Amino acid sequence: MSSSEAGKIPDLAAEAVLQVSEEIPEGAEEVKGYDFNNGVDWNKIMESYKYTGFQSTNLGLAIDQINKMLNWRLSHEKIGENDIEDPEIRANTKCKIFFAYTSNLISSGLRETIRYLVQHKQVDVIVTSAGGIEEDFIKCLAPTYLGDFSLKGRDLRLKGMNRIGNLLVPNSNYCKFDDFMNPILDAMLEEQKTQGVIWTPSKMIHRFGKEINNPESVYYWAYKNNIPVFCPSITDGSIGDMIYFHSYKNPGLIVDIAADIRGMNDQALSAKKTGMIILGGGLAKHHTCNANLMRNGADYSVFINTAQEFDGSDAGARPDEAISWGKIKINAKPVKLYAEATLVFPLIVASTFARVVEEEKKKTQDQTKQE
């Protein structure tokens, strides 16, 4: 090394390590978490998630996306050709929210959060799998219990216990479900024969919700509020077992799935604006997205699951893949939150739907006081 080079950082290293950054765009958000020196302010804590980074930021973006669904009105849009012109109708035309979830979430305590949304008419269309239907009714008949992920399957089988993750469902619960279902299936078959009733999965679920007559049930409230519930896999679970047994004892019941695909797709096609909130993957996710294909994509979308896309599964597919199929609009800003739904969805509801419900309650109370 020459004397002239002494004390000088090598040019290559300096260029590599001390590279000058471009100017940060104006309005860029800084990363900053919640400072607990300011006390415990739950609203501020929730607001801070968006600026924390990683999946916390996606949680904040999911909250924003759902609030956009809730806030949208047709009156926000310019009146197009052959569009509705009545100002009152436009002001009351909302985004149609498709809410989909997998069966394990009904088995979990998230069922109560889901029921709350349906009870207060916060969603417009429900999509789930067979377990997502039957587990709700079974919980009205007997409880599900906390267990452990490590419990041995052989030991549980010998005891008549069914494990769902770290939840336990006694097999006797399904026996009670059989007792609940059989007279309903008998009545449905009789109505099919004598009145010509065509039973679809959604019509069956509507009937089950009426018959359970229990305000703890998600589908009791779907029945009361006339919220359609679509389940193209209605036979893939205990309901299917009951229908199978019933086909021996009192054969002849027919379930028409073709009418429901018309009903599901028409729900999307007739909407001025649609939003999708999908917890988990599989059938519930695809059926919801595919219906929105009929209108060239949903306007707002939130996916919450833990699946990865490397295996090409629909469950793991990011929203951008759905855009390529026309299931989400190309100018939309969908959000995928990589998280287990029972951890994050109650927080999301607290920052979105629950605020709307509480505001409506307060408004009603204020009007009552004035009267």
Side-chain angles (χ1 to χ4, degrees):
M1 180 183 295
S2 67
S3 59
S4 62
E5 293 176 324
K8 182 182 178 184
I9 300 171
D11 291 342
L12 180 60
E15 289 173 7
V17 176
L18 304 176
Q19 182 179 3
V20 177
S21 302
E22 291 184 358
E23 288 294 321
I24 299 296
E26 188 176 348
E29 303 287 0
E30 292 184 27
V31 174
K32 194 169 186 179
Y34 184 75
D35 185 352
F36 281 95
N37 286 309
N38 297 323
V40 180
D41 184 329
W42 288 104
N43 288 331
K44 294 292 185 183
I45 291 170
M46 291 306 302
E47 289 171 7
S48 75
Y49 271 87
K50 186 176 176 181
Y51 308 102
T52 298
F54 309 134
Q55 292 310 303
S56 291
T57 292
N58 283 2
L59 174 60
L61 293 174
I63 289 169
D64 286 352
Q65 186 82 172
I66 292 172
N67 278 327
K68 287 176 182 177
M69 297 182 201
L70 292 171
N71 293 333
W72 183 87
R73 297 294 183 272
L74 183 57
S75 55
H76 299 163
E77 309 286 338
K78 292 181 179 179
I79 299 176
E81 188 177 350
N82 300 321
D83 206 352
I84 298 167
E85 295 187 10
D86 185 293
E88 187 174 354
I89 294 175
R90 292 180 66 81
N92 290 312
T93 299
K94 302 178 181 180
C95 175
K96 182 176 286 186
I97 298 178
F98 289 76
F99 183 40
Y101 46 85
T102 48
S103 66
N104 56 318
L105 301 180
I106 289 291
S107 301
S108 77
L110 204 61
R111 174 204 185 212
E112 279 61 45
T113 303
I114 293 170
R115 186 207 64 216
Y116 171 87
L117 297 180
V118 181
Q119 178 182 353
H120 293 285
K121 305 179 187 178
Q122 294 299 296
V123 296
D124 302 292
V125 181
I126 296 171
V127 183
T128 190
S129 57
I133 304 300
E134 62 208 22
E135 291 295 326
D136 175 68
F137 296 124
I138 290 167
K139 279 186 165 184
C140 292
L141 305 172
T144 295
Y145 298 92
L146 284 172
D148 193 280
F149 285 102
S150 64
L151 294 173
K152 298 296 183 183
R154 182 182 183 280
D155 296 341
L156 293 173
R157 180 61 180 166
L158 292 173
K159 295 176 180 178
M161 293 288 175
N162 303 289
R163 183 169 69 84
I164 305 169
N166 62 347
L167 313 179
L168 292 175
V169 187
N171 208 62
S172 58
N173 291 17
Y174 295 95
C175 299
K176 292 175 182 177
F177 185 56
D178 183 54
D179 294 338
F180 168 73
M181 285 288 292
N182 270 312
I184 300 173
L185 294 176
D186 284 338
M188 288 168 54
L189 177 57
E190 182 63 20
E191 290 167 29
Q192 175 188 300
K193 289 177 177 179
T194 61
Q195 302 173 31
V197 175
I198 299 173
W199 292 104
T200 66
S202 62
K203 192 179 288 186
M204 291 172 67
I205 296 161
H206 187 80
R207 178 64 169 270
F208 300 157
K210 176 184 178 182
E211 297 291 343
I212 198 68
N213 194 29
N214 187 328
E216 293 182 0
S217 164
V218 172
Y219 306 110
Y220 165 81
W221 288 106
Y223 157 73
K224 291 280 284 185
N225 294 329
N226 202 29
I227 296 172
V229 182
F230 293 99
C231 179
S233 63
I234 191 76
T235 58
D236 186 28
S238 187
I239 291 174
D241 298 342
M242 302 304 107
I243 292 173
Y244 172 67
F245 295 150
H246 189 264
S247 72
Y248 283 95
K249 294 184 283 187
N250 190 3
L253 182 66
I254 298 170
V255 181
D256 178 9
I257 62 170
D260 261 8
I261 193 63
R262 169 77 178 262
M264 175 67 177
N265 290 352
D266 281 354
Q267 285 286 342
L269 198 59
S270 64
K272 296 294 184 182
K273 211 85 162 176
T274 64
M276 302 188 297
I277 302 171
I278 304 176
L279 313 182
L283 175 142
K285 179 173 183 262
H286 185 267
H287 200 56
T288 304
C289 290
N290 200 68
N292 277 273
L293 167 62
M294 300 299 143
R295 63 185 304 277
N296 203 27
D299 300 278
Y300 307 106
S301 302
V302 172
F303 297 172
I304 303 174
N305 62 57
T306 57
Q308 306 293 319
E309 67 174 341
F310 65 84
D311 59 359
S313 66
D314 184 74
R318 292 181 296 110
D320 191 63
E321 185 173 313
I323 290 173
S324 79
W325 287 89
K327 297 171 182 177
I328 296 175
K329 290 197 180 298
I330 59 174
N331 59 348
K333 295 183 179 179
V335 179
K336 174 164 180 177
L337 173 58
Y338 290 86
E340 199 269 290
T342 62
L343 279 172
V344 296
F345 195 60
L347 299 176
I348 290 172
V349 169
S351 298
T352 55
F353 296 104
R355 286 185 176 179
V356 171
V357 172
E358 291 305 311
E359 285 170 6
E360 288 175 352
K361 283 182 182 177
K362 187 176 185 303
K363 186 177 178 181
T364 301
Q365 289 170 353
D366 290 344
Q367 288 175 345
T368 303
K369 288 177 182 177
Q370 289 174 4
E371 292 172 359

mmCIF file of all heavy atoms in Angstrom, residues 87-119:
data_model
loop_
_atom_site.group_PDB
_atom_site.id
_atom_site.type_symbol
_atom_site.label_atom_id
_atom_site.label_comp_id
_atom_site.label_asym_id
_atom_site.label_seq_id
_atom_site.Cartn_x
_atom_site.Cartn_y
_atom_site.Cartn_z
ATOM 1 N N PRO A 87 -81.795 9.594 -5.569
ATOM 2 C CA PRO A 87 -80.746 9.884 -4.581
ATOM 3 C C PRO A 87 -80.843 9.025 -3.321
ATOM 4 O O PRO A 87 -79.820 8.616 -2.771
ATOM 5 C CB PRO A 87 -80.964 11.365 -4.254
ATOM 6 C CG PRO A 87 -81.732 11.916 -5.403
ATOM 7 C CD PRO A 87 -82.583 10.791 -5.909
ATOM 8 N N GLU A 88 -82.057 8.767 -2.862
ATOM 9 C CA GLU A 88 -82.231 7.982 -1.632
ATOM 10 C C GLU A 88 -81.795 6.544 -1.839
ATOM 11 O O GLU A 88 -81.125 5.948 -0.985
ATOM 12 C CB GLU A 88 -83.692 8.035 -1.176
ATOM 13 C CG GLU A 88 -83.907 7.384 0.182
ATOM 14 C CD GLU A 88 -85.326 7.559 0.711
ATOM 15 O OE1 GLU A 88 -86.115 8.295 0.077
ATOM 16 O OE2 GLU A 88 -85.634 6.953 1.737
ATOM 17 N N ILE A 89 -82.191 5.978 -2.977
ATOM 18 C CA ILE A 89 -81.791 4.598 -3.279
ATOM 19 C C ILE A 89 -80.275 4.516 -3.410
ATOM 20 O O ILE A 89 -79.637 3.599 -2.880
ATOM 21 C CB ILE A 89 -82.470 4.097 -4.568
ATOM 22 C CG1 ILE A 89 -83.984 3.992 -4.367
ATOM 23 C CG2 ILE A 89 -81.899 2.746 -4.991
ATOM 24 C CD1 ILE A 89 -84.756 3.623 -5.624
ATOM 25 N N ARG A 90 -79.680 5.478 -4.082
ATOM 26 C CA ARG A 90 -78.227 5.477 -4.256
ATOM 27 C C ARG A 90 -77.499 5.590 -2.915
ATOM 28 O O ARG A 90 -76.488 4.922 -2.680
ATOM 29 C CB ARG A 90 -77.803 6.622 -5.180
ATOM 30 C CG ARG A 90 -78.261 6.452 -6.626
ATOM 31 C CD ARG A 90 -77.806 7.622 -7.497
ATOM 32 N NE ARG A 90 -76.363 7.662 -7.630
ATOM 33 C CZ ARG A 90 -75.657 6.927 -8.479
ATOM 34 N NH1 ARG A 90 -76.272 6.079 -9.292
ATOM 35 N NH2 ARG A 90 -74.338 7.029 -8.538
ATOM 36 N N ALA A 91 -78.039 6.410 -2.021
ATOM 37 C CA ALA A 91 -77.415 6.604 -0.705
ATOM 38 C C ALA A 91 -77.529 5.358 0.171
ATOM 39 O O ALA A 91 -76.715 5.161 1.082
ATOM 40 C CB ALA A 91 -78.047 7.792 0.005
ATOM 41 N N ASN A 92 -78.534 4.505 -0.114
ATOM 42 C CA ASN A 92 -78.756 3.301 0.699
ATOM 43 C C ASN A 92 -78.272 2.020 0.034
ATOM 44 O O ASN A 92 -78.419 0.940 0.608
ATOM 45 C CB ASN A 92 -80.243 3.175 1.039
ATOM 46 C CG ASN A 92 -80.699 4.240 2.017
ATOM 47 O OD1 ASN A 92 -80.050 4.469 3.033
ATOM 48 N ND2 ASN A 92 -81.789 4.926 1.712
ATOM 49 N N THR A 93 -77.698 2.130 -1.168
ATOM 50 C CA THR A 93 -77.162 0.949 -1.851
ATOM 51 C C THR A 93 -75.727 0.740 -1.390
ATOM 52 O O THR A 93 -74.853 1.580 -1.617
ATOM 53 C CB THR A 93 -77.210 1.120 -3.383
ATOM 54 O OG1 THR A 93 -78.578 1.290 -3.779
ATOM 55 C CG2 THR A 93 -76.624 -0.097 -4.076
ATOM 56 N N LYS A 94 -75.489 -0.388 -0.721
ATOM 57 C CA LYS A 94 -74.195 -0.661 -0.098
ATOM 58 C C LYS A 94 -73.409 -1.708 -0.876
ATOM 59 O O LYS A 94 -73.933 -2.372 -1.773
ATOM 60 C CB LYS A 94 -74.399 -1.156 1.339
ATOM 61 C CG LYS A 94 -75.166 -0.193 2.228
ATOM 62 C CD LYS A 94 -75.363 -0.787 3.606
ATOM 63 C CE LYS A 94 -76.160 0.144 4.519
ATOM 64 N NZ LYS A 94 -76.353 -0.439 5.869
ATOM 65 N N CYS A 95 -72.175 -1.856 -0.506
ATOM 66 C CA CYS A 95 -71.332 -2.928 -1.028
ATOM 67 C C CYS A 95 -71.863 -4.261 -0.495
ATOM 68 O O CYS A 95 -72.139 -4.397 0.704
ATOM 69 C CB CYS A 95 -69.892 -2.710 -0.573
ATOM 70 S SG CYS A 95 -68.748 -4.024 -1.002
ATOM 71 N N LYS A 96 -72.023 -5.236 -1.377
ATOM 72 C CA LYS A 96 -72.475 -6.564 -0.952
ATOM 73 C C LYS A 96 -71.259 -7.353 -0.463
ATOM 74 O O LYS A 96 -70.293 -7.558 -1.197
ATOM 75 C CB LYS A 96 -73.151 -7.300 -2.102
ATOM 76 C CG LYS A 96 -73.690 -8.673 -1.719
ATOM 77 C CD LYS A 96 -74.437 -9.338 -2.856
ATOM 78 C CE LYS A 96 -75.803 -8.695 -3.055
ATOM 79 N NZ LYS A 96 -76.618 -9.417 -4.065
ATOM 80 N N ILE A 97 -71.320 -7.786 0.793
ATOM 81 C CA ILE A 97 -70.181 -8.468 1.411
ATOM 82 C C ILE A 97 -70.397 -9.979 1.409
ATOM 83 O O ILE A 97 -71.348 -10.494 1.998
ATOM 84 C CB ILE A 97 -69.934 -7.961 2.840
ATOM 85 C CG1 ILE A 97 -69.585 -6.468 2.811
ATOM 86 C CG2 ILE A 97 -68.814 -8.764 3.510
ATOM 87 C CD1 ILE A 97 -69.366 -5.853 4.171
ATOM 88 N N PHE A 98 -69.491 -10.688 0.723
ATOM 89 C CA PHE A 98 -69.449 -12.147 0.732
ATOM 90 C C PHE A 98 -68.505 -12.574 1.846
ATOM 91 O O PHE A 98 -67.339 -12.175 1.865
ATOM 92 C CB PHE A 98 -68.933 -12.683 -0.612
ATOM 93 C CG PHE A 98 -69.899 -12.528 -1.756
ATOM 94 C CD1 PHE A 98 -70.085 -11.286 -2.364
ATOM 95 C CD2 PHE A 98 -70.611 -13.617 -2.230
ATOM 96 C CE1 PHE A 98 -70.965 -11.137 -3.429
ATOM 97 C CE2 PHE A 98 -71.496 -13.477 -3.288
ATOM 98 C CZ PHE A 98 -71.677 -12.246 -3.890
ATOM 99 N N PHE A 99 -69.011 -13.391 2.748
ATOM 100 C CA PHE A 99 -68.239 -13.820 3.918
ATOM 101 C C PHE A 99 -68.088 -15.336 3.870
ATOM 102 O O PHE A 99 -69.078 -16.068 3.907
ATOM 103 C CB PHE A 99 -68.970 -13.380 5.189
ATOM 104 C CG PHE A 99 -68.254 -13.702 6.474
ATOM 105 C CD1 PHE A 99 -66.887 -13.564 6.594
ATOM 106 C CD2 PHE A 99 -68.974 -14.120 7.586
ATOM 107 C CE1 PHE A 99 -66.234 -13.841 7.781
ATOM 108 C CE2 PHE A 99 -68.340 -14.395 8.790
ATOM 109 C CZ PHE A 99 -66.965 -14.257 8.879
ATOM 110 N N ALA A 100 -66.854 -15.801 3.744
ATOM 111 C CA ALA A 100 -66.585 -17.238 3.615
ATOM 112 C C ALA A 100 -65.626 -17.688 4.710
ATOM 113 O O ALA A 100 -64.726 -16.949 5.105
ATOM 114 C CB ALA A 100 -66.005 -17.542 2.243
ATOM 115 N N TYR A 101 -65.809 -18.924 5.168
ATOM 116 C CA TYR A 101 -64.940 -19.457 6.214
ATOM 117 C C TYR A 101 -64.988 -20.978 6.205
ATOM 118 O O TYR A 101 -65.939 -21.592 5.717
ATOM 119 C CB TYR A 101 -65.371 -18.938 7.601
ATOM 120 C CG TYR A 101 -66.856 -19.007 7.860
ATOM 121 C CD1 TYR A 101 -67.454 -20.174 8.332
ATOM 122 C CD2 TYR A 101 -67.675 -17.907 7.625
ATOM 123 C CE1 TYR A 101 -68.824 -20.234 8.567
ATOM 124 C CE2 TYR A 101 -69.043 -17.956 7.848
ATOM 125 C CZ TYR A 101 -69.611 -19.130 8.319
ATOM 126 O OH TYR A 101 -70.962 -19.192 8.538
ATOM 127 N N THR A 102 -63.948 -21.564 6.746
ATOM 128 C CA THR A 102 -63.838 -23.019 6.818
ATOM 129 C C THR A 102 -64.519 -23.535 8.079
ATOM 130 O O THR A 102 -64.794 -22.791 9.021
ATOM 131 C CB THR A 102 -62.361 -23.431 6.787
ATOM 132 O OG1 THR A 102 -61.623 -22.629 7.727
ATOM 133 C CG2 THR A 102 -61.774 -23.226 5.402
ATOM 134 N N SER A 103 -64.748 -24.848 8.106
ATOM 135 C CA SER A 103 -65.555 -25.443 9.181
ATOM 136 C C SER A 103 -64.896 -25.355 10.547
ATOM 137 O O SER A 103 -65.574 -25.211 11.568
ATOM 138 C CB SER A 103 -65.852 -26.909 8.856
ATOM 139 O OG SER A 103 -64.663 -27.684 8.864
ATOM 140 N N ASN A 104 -63.546 -25.430 10.589
ATOM 141 C CA ASN A 104 -62.863 -25.423 11.884
ATOM 142 C C ASN A 104 -63.111 -24.142 12.661
ATOM 143 O O ASN A 104 -63.024 -24.126 13.895
ATOM 144 C CB ASN A 104 -61.355 -25.622 11.679
ATOM 145 C CG ASN A 104 -60.743 -24.586 10.753
ATOM 146 O OD1 ASN A 104 -61.310 -24.236 9.723
ATOM 147 N ND2 ASN A 104 -59.578 -24.091 11.109
ATOM 148 N N LEU A 105 -63.443 -23.068 11.962
ATOM 149 C CA LEU A 105 -63.663 -21.794 12.644
ATOM 150 C C LEU A 105 -65.001 -21.768 13.372
ATOM 151 O O LEU A 105 -65.146 -21.090 14.385
ATOM 152 C CB LEU A 105 -63.542 -20.648 11.645
ATOM 153 C CG LEU A 105 -62.177 -20.580 10.954
ATOM 154 C CD1 LEU A 105 -62.114 -19.434 9.971
ATOM 155 C CD2 LEU A 105 -61.044 -20.482 11.982
ATOM 156 N N ILE A 106 -65.973 -22.526 12.855
ATOM 157 C CA ILE A 106 -67.233 -22.692 13.586
ATOM 158 C C ILE A 106 -67.012 -23.608 14.789
ATOM 159 O O ILE A 106 -67.604 -23.422 15.856
ATOM 160 C CB ILE A 106 -68.329 -23.254 12.659
ATOM 161 C CG1 ILE A 106 -68.761 -22.183 11.647
ATOM 162 C CG2 ILE A 106 -69.537 -23.745 13.455
ATOM 163 C CD1 ILE A 106 -69.525 -21.010 12.228
ATOM 164 N N SER A 107 -66.130 -24.597 14.643
ATOM 165 C CA SER A 107 -65.802 -25.467 15.780
ATOM 166 C C SER A 107 -65.130 -24.679 16.890
ATOM 167 O O SER A 107 -65.306 -24.970 18.073
ATOM 168 C CB SER A 107 -64.872 -26.598 15.322
ATOM 169 O OG SER A 107 -65.467 -27.367 14.302
ATOM 170 N N SER A 108 -64.375 -23.654 16.518
ATOM 171 C CA SER A 108 -63.664 -22.834 17.502
ATOM 172 C C SER A 108 -64.588 -21.766 18.094
ATOM 173 O O SER A 108 -65.743 -21.625 17.703
ATOM 174 C CB SER A 108 -62.468 -22.145 16.824
ATOM 175 O OG SER A 108 -62.915 -21.033 16.043
ATOM 176 N N GLY A 109 -64.032 -20.983 18.996
ATOM 177 C CA GLY A 109 -64.783 -19.882 19.594
ATOM 178 C C GLY A 109 -65.015 -18.719 18.654
ATOM 179 O O GLY A 109 -65.734 -17.772 19.009
ATOM 180 N N LEU A 110 -64.442 -18.775 17.462
ATOM 181 C CA LEU A 110 -64.709 -17.733 16.482
ATOM 182 C C LEU A 110 -66.169 -17.782 16.017
ATOM 183 O O LEU A 110 -66.674 -16.818 15.438
ATOM 184 C CB LEU A 110 -63.778 -17.878 15.278
ATOM 185 C CG LEU A 110 -63.524 -16.611 14.460
ATOM 186 C CD1 LEU A 110 -62.878 -15.530 15.314
ATOM 187 C CD2 LEU A 110 -62.649 -16.917 13.250
ATOM 188 N N ARG A 111 -66.818 -18.899 16.291
ATOM 189 C CA ARG A 111 -68.251 -19.017 15.956
ATOM 190 C C ARG A 111 -69.056 -17.857 16.539
ATOM 191 O O ARG A 111 -69.963 -17.328 15.887
ATOM 192 C CB ARG A 111 -68.786 -20.332 16.508
ATOM 193 C CG ARG A 111 -70.294 -20.514 16.345
ATOM 194 C CD ARG A 111 -70.784 -21.478 17.398
ATOM 195 N NE ARG A 111 -72.191 -21.807 17.271
ATOM 196 C CZ ARG A 111 -72.965 -22.090 18.303
ATOM 197 N NH1 ARG A 111 -72.470 -22.040 19.534
ATOM 198 N NH2 ARG A 111 -74.225 -22.407 18.146
ATOM 199 N N GLU A 112 -68.737 -17.437 17.754
ATOM 200 C CA GLU A 112 -69.499 -16.356 18.380
ATOM 201 C C GLU A 112 -69.282 -15.025 17.657
ATOM 202 O O GLU A 112 -70.188 -14.196 17.567
ATOM 203 C CB GLU A 112 -69.124 -16.235 19.858
ATOM 204 C CG GLU A 112 -69.817 -17.246 20.766
ATOM 205 C CD GLU A 112 -69.502 -18.700 20.442
ATOM 206 O OE1 GLU A 112 -68.319 -19.028 20.210
ATOM 207 O OE2 GLU A 112 -70.435 -19.529 20.403
ATOM 208 N N THR A 113 -68.085 -14.822 17.136
ATOM 209 C CA THR A 113 -67.813 -13.613 16.342
ATOM 210 C C THR A 113 -68.587 -13.656 15.035
ATOM 211 O O THR A 113 -69.174 -12.656 14.607
ATOM 212 C CB THR A 113 -66.304 -13.493 16.059
ATOM 213 O OG1 THR A 113 -65.589 -13.471 17.299
ATOM 214 C CG2 THR A 113 -65.990 -12.232 15.272
ATOM 215 N N ILE A 114 -68.593 -14.823 14.406
ATOM 216 C CA ILE A 114 -69.328 -15.004 13.151
ATOM 217 C C ILE A 114 -70.823 -14.791 13.386
ATOM 218 O O ILE A 114 -71.505 -14.113 12.609
ATOM 219 C CB ILE A 114 -69.033 -16.392 12.560
ATOM 220 C CG1 ILE A 114 -67.562 -16.485 12.122
ATOM 221 C CG2 ILE A 114 -69.968 -16.715 11.397
ATOM 222 C CD1 ILE A 114 -67.098 -17.880 11.758
ATOM 223 N N ARG A 115 -71.329 -15.368 14.461
ATOM 224 C CA ARG A 115 -72.753 -15.196 14.779
ATOM 225 C C ARG A 115 -73.110 -13.727 14.971
ATOM 226 O O ARG A 115 -74.162 -13.258 14.528
ATOM 227 C CB ARG A 115 -73.117 -15.985 16.045
ATOM 228 C CG ARG A 115 -74.612 -15.982 16.362
ATOM 229 C CD ARG A 115 -74.866 -16.148 17.848
ATOM 230 N NE ARG A 115 -74.330 -15.023 18.590
ATOM 231 C CZ ARG A 115 -73.775 -15.115 19.802
ATOM 232 N NH1 ARG A 115 -73.664 -16.274 20.411
ATOM 233 N NH2 ARG A 115 -73.318 -14.026 20.410
ATOM 234 N N TYR A 116 -72.233 -12.992 15.632
ATOM 235 C CA TYR A 116 -72.452 -11.556 15.857
ATOM 236 C C TYR A 116 -72.647 -10.825 14.534
ATOM 237 O O TYR A 116 -73.547 -9.994 14.391
ATOM 238 C CB TYR A 116 -71.252 -10.994 16.629
ATOM 239 C CG TYR A 116 -71.224 -9.492 16.765
ATOM 240 C CD1 TYR A 116 -71.878 -8.852 17.806
ATOM 241 C CD2 TYR A 116 -70.513 -8.699 15.857
ATOM 242 C CE1 TYR A 116 -71.838 -7.468 17.942
ATOM 243 C CE2 TYR A 116 -70.470 -7.327 15.976
ATOM 244 C CZ TYR A 116 -71.138 -6.711 17.026
ATOM 245 O OH TYR A 116 -71.097 -5.345 17.148
ATOM 246 N N LEU A 117 -71.803 -11.123 13.562
ATOM 247 C CA LEU A 117 -71.900 -10.460 12.258
ATOM 248 C C LEU A 117 -73.224 -10.773 11.571
ATOM 249 O O LEU A 117 -73.844 -9.893 10.971
ATOM 250 C CB LEU A 117 -70.739 -10.901 11.365
ATOM 251 C CG LEU A 117 -69.332 -10.537 11.836
ATOM 252 C CD1 LEU A 117 -68.297 -11.036 10.842
ATOM 253 C CD2 LEU A 117 -69.190 -9.034 12.044
ATOM 254 N N VAL A 118 -73.653 -12.023 11.670
ATOM 255 C CA VAL A 118 -74.904 -12.432 11.024
ATOM 256 C C VAL A 118 -76.105 -11.868 11.783
ATOM 257 O O VAL A 118 -77.071 -11.398 11.188
ATOM 258 C CB VAL A 118 -74.974 -13.972 10.919
ATOM 259 C CG1 VAL A 118 -76.260 -14.416 10.235
ATOM 260 C CG2 VAL A 118 -73.762 -14.511 10.147
ATOM 261 N N GLN A 119 -76.030 -11.902 13.097
ATOM 262 C CA GLN A 119 -77.106 -11.371 13.945
ATOM 263 C C GLN A 119 -77.380 -9.904 13.634
ATOM 264 O O GLN A 119 -78.534 -9.470 13.581
ATOM 265 C CB GLN A 119 -76.715 -11.537 15.414
ATOM 266 C CG GLN A 119 -77.734 -10.987 16.397
ATOM 267 C CD GLN A 119 -77.266 -11.146 17.839
ATOM 268 O OE1 GLN A 119 -76.236 -11.775 18.112
ATOM 269 N NE2 GLN A 119 -78.004 -10.589 18.771
#
